[in-house]
Amino acid sequence: MQKLQAKPASVKLFQKNYPLVEKDMIENSGNLKEEGELFTISDQKGGYLGTGYYAIQNKGIGWILSRRKDEQIDQLFFNKKVQEAADYRSSLFNSEETTAFRLFNGEGDGIGGVTIDYFEGYCLINWYSKGIYTFRNEIMTALQHAAGPKGIYQKKRFNEKGQYIEEDDFVWGEQAPYPLLVKENGVQFAVYLNEGAMVGVFLDQREVRQAIRDRYSNGKTVLNMFSYTGAFSVFAALGGAAKTVSVDVANRSLPKTIEQFSINGIDHEAQEIIVEDVFKYFKYAARKEKTFDLVILDPPSFAKSKKHIFSAAKDYKDLLRETIHLTASGGVIAASTNASSVSDEKFKGFIDQAFKEEKVKYRILESFKLPEDFRTAPAFKQGSYLKVHFINVLK
Ligand code: SAH
């Protein structure tokens, strides 16, 4: 096993359970050869700090797996971690209302670089580095013990740019129906486990969707920007929205949104689904003097369309300014970002700035972070990437 030495300035971080090993935290990282190899990290005096594995991912060169010198990284280790993760989600496993959730959340469950989602008996593993992929047999065996899935799918998210590798994602057991119907708080979603990088639903917004259905939609006009498969629109419609308008630039969003409405018994023709750049839609809506009672904003952290580059870190404030124009007096903006480079403090700063520049008063009604199944490591703040605020617009 490789023996790495921590730089003096990073010893404290490791002692505080920081799970990511970054290149500039280590004196002799050049010794690492093969992704997946194990190493121990010590301080200058040889004092043990942790055991980890080598993996190139974003800023990191590996993840700490154990802080006990005598702990072996073997099949038993993986069994224990995945079993603990499954036990932590036992109420979700037993739920009849929700059959899709995150079963294993990387460093939050003790193994950085891998997540596992559970969809009505089928599991989807996301591998974020070549390094973690070398442990695939151990992790799949552990998963079979802990969750007894009918079938397993995977997404390799580690090409040169750290992105998804297109291939057949089915790896074990029985193939899932196509589409696979799952439930979230009693609402159906059509999920496609073997159709590219995304499956049709982002599980981390479960509590936000529930809030939209239960507290923000009844009798309201709802605009869902960056709507993808229309998940927020479906919850709004089921919550009694007078009408929903879903806007997304991707062509796939039209058939996908029709499907999500239809499987929930909602007449999609009574809703509006618009395939268009949201920035164009803002202009159109301004011309027509349209306003909405609830506007949902859930942009990607970064996106390039024909005319626009949107980066949450740079452009969210302006996105909010345009949204304030479209929001009815007394209405609500549900503003969400998953950009890990934007802290909640910074995000609230954008909100404040946007309202100041528009000379409009506001009040934050409630806020959301990741739900409990997206377990995070307390020492790794970047892992808690989701920030959502429901903002009352007081024009
Ligand atoms: N809110 C969605 C998830 C959004 S994913 C949900 O709850 O499921 C981000 C979406 O933004 C993608 O579907 C992408 O097609 C869309 N998108 C990116 N740039 C866009 C733009 N300029 N205009 C409209 N949609 C855009």
Side-chain angles (χ1 to χ4, degrees):
M1 207 178 323
Q2 286 287 353
K3 288 189 164 57
L4 301 184
Q5 196 187 320
K7 288 192 179 167
S10 26
V11 169
K12 274 243 151 58
L13 262 179
F14 286 125
Q15 283 168 340
K16 283 186 182 155
N17 294 345
Y18 189 75
L20 183 65
V21 184
E22 295 172 31
K23 197 163 179 223
D24 61 8
M25 296 169 80
I26 302 295
E27 299 282 8
N28 53 342
S29 63
N31 291 356
L32 293 167
K33 295 278 166 330
E34 292 275 330
E35 279 198 61
E37 71 176 306
L38 295 170
F39 54 74
T40 57
I41 303 181
S42 310
D43 61 20
Q44 297 89 310
K45 292 183 188 143
Y48 173 85
L49 293 169
T51 305
Y53 76 95
Y54 176 38
I56 297 169
Q57 184 195 328
N58 301 333
K59 288 186 203 131
I61 56 163
W63 293 95
I64 300 288
L65 293 173
S66 176
R67 292 179 179 78
R68 281 188 15 225
K69 201 173 179 175
D70 58 348
E71 187 166 41
Q72 300 294 314
I73 308 302
D74 53 12
Q75 185 65 55
L76 278 177
F77 169 84
F78 288 101
N79 289 353
K80 202 177 71 194
K81 290 290 177 199
V82 181
Q83 187 62 52
E84 272 172 14
D87 292 345
Y88 185 78
R89 281 99 175 154
S90 61
S91 64
L92 282 165
F93 272 109
N94 293 324
S95 169
E96 286 181 12
E97 293 293 288
T98 298
T99 62
F101 54 90
R102 178 141 297 183
L103 162 50
F104 193 93
N105 199 39
E107 70 285 353
D109 284 294
I111 307 174
V114 59
T115 65
I116 307 173
D117 291 329
Y118 186 85
F119 294 100
E120 185 93 40
Y122 296 87
C123 286
L124 172 63
I125 310 178
N126 285 294
W127 309 106
Y128 286 93
S129 68
K130 284 190 189 122
I132 192 66
Y133 191 61
T134 64
F135 298 107
R136 62 188 174 279
N137 290 334
E138 287 87 343
I139 291 175
M140 291 217 324
T141 301
L143 178 60
Q144 285 158 13
H145 280 300
K150 289 184 254 184
I152 301 178
Y153 289 75
Q154 69 180 9
K155 307 279 176 202
K156 291 186 197 163
R157 299 189 185 274
F158 54 79
N159 75 0
E160 305 77 53
K161 287 188 188 158
Q163 284 164 350
Y164 172 70
I165 298 171
E166 187 80 54
E167 60 179 27
D168 182 2
D169 291 340
F170 174 66
V171 282
W172 179 87
E174 188 186 300
Q175 301 236 22
Y178 183 87
L180 173 64
L181 295 185
V182 302
K183 266 194 288 182
E184 178 184 283
N185 289 312
V187 178
Q188 305 247 42
F189 281 129
V191 162
Y192 294 82
L193 298 180
N194 205 353
E195 210 185 64
M198 300 196 288
V199 303
V201 57
F202 291 99
L203 298 175
D204 52 5
Q205 297 275 17
R206 180 170 59 243
E207 292 172 350
V208 180
R209 284 189 281 265
Q210 185 176 21
I212 283 172
R213 180 187 63 186
D214 296 351
R215 296 194 284 287
Y216 291 97
S217 297
N218 199 12
K220 308 291 190 201
T221 52
V222 178
L223 175 63
N224 181 8
M225 294 295 230
F226 307 93
S227 56
Y228 182 43
T229 62
F232 286 127
S233 308
V234 169
F235 272 72
L238 292 171
K243 183 173 178 183
T244 68
V245 177
S246 306
V247 184
D248 196 293
V249 75
N251 287 325
R252 63 169 184 236
S253 69
L254 176 65
K256 294 278 184 196
T257 305
I258 290 176
E259 179 180 40
Q260 303 296 18
F261 278 131
S262 304
I263 58 173
N264 286 290
I266 302 161
D267 175 12
H268 67 86
E269 288 182 356
Q271 314 295 328
E272 226 177 304
I273 305 166
I274 301 174
V275 177
E276 191 165 67
D277 192 316
V278 296
F279 299 100
K280 238 175 125 186
Y281 187 80
F282 275 124
K283 290 207 179 77
Y284 159 82
R287 250 190 348 259
K288 296 272 173 186
E289 296 182 5
K290 276 183 182 282
T291 58
F292 294 86
D293 301 317
L294 172 64
V295 183
I296 302 158
L297 279 184
D298 181 29
S301 309
F302 186 84
K304 229 169 151 175
S305 66
K306 277 185 203 129
K307 289 225 179 106
H308 248 94
I309 293 182
F310 174 85
S311 133
K314 284 209 196 97
D315 305 317
Y316 211 113
K317 185 203 75 187
D318 289 338
L319 183 65
L320 280 163
R321 287 187 67 174
E322 299 220 58
T323 307
I324 293 167
H325 291 268
L326 276 190
T327 311
S329 171
V332 173
I333 300 172
S336 167
T337 183
N338 57 10
S340 45
S341 61
V342 178
S343 68
D344 194 34
E345 233 183 351
K346 206 162 158 189
F347 190 40
K348 282 191 187 144
F350 293 162
I351 295 171
D352 198 57
Q353 194 65 29
F355 277 87
K356 279 212 175 96
E357 288 176 17
E358 291 298 323
K359 299 192 172 56
V360 173
K361 291 206 164 57
Y362 73 98
R363 191 163 58 109
I364 292 186
L365 300 170
E366 63 178 318
S367 305
F368 292 86
K369 291 183 174 171
L370 286 173
E372 256 195 83
D373 48 324
F374 283 68
R375 197 176 182 185
T376 53
F380 193 65
K381 294 275 175 280
Q382 308 94 295
S384 184
Y385 59 84
L386 185 69
K387 288 123 328 224
V388 185
H389 298 290
F390 282 76
I391 313 160
N392 198 185
V393 179
L394 307 167
K395 280 189 191 167

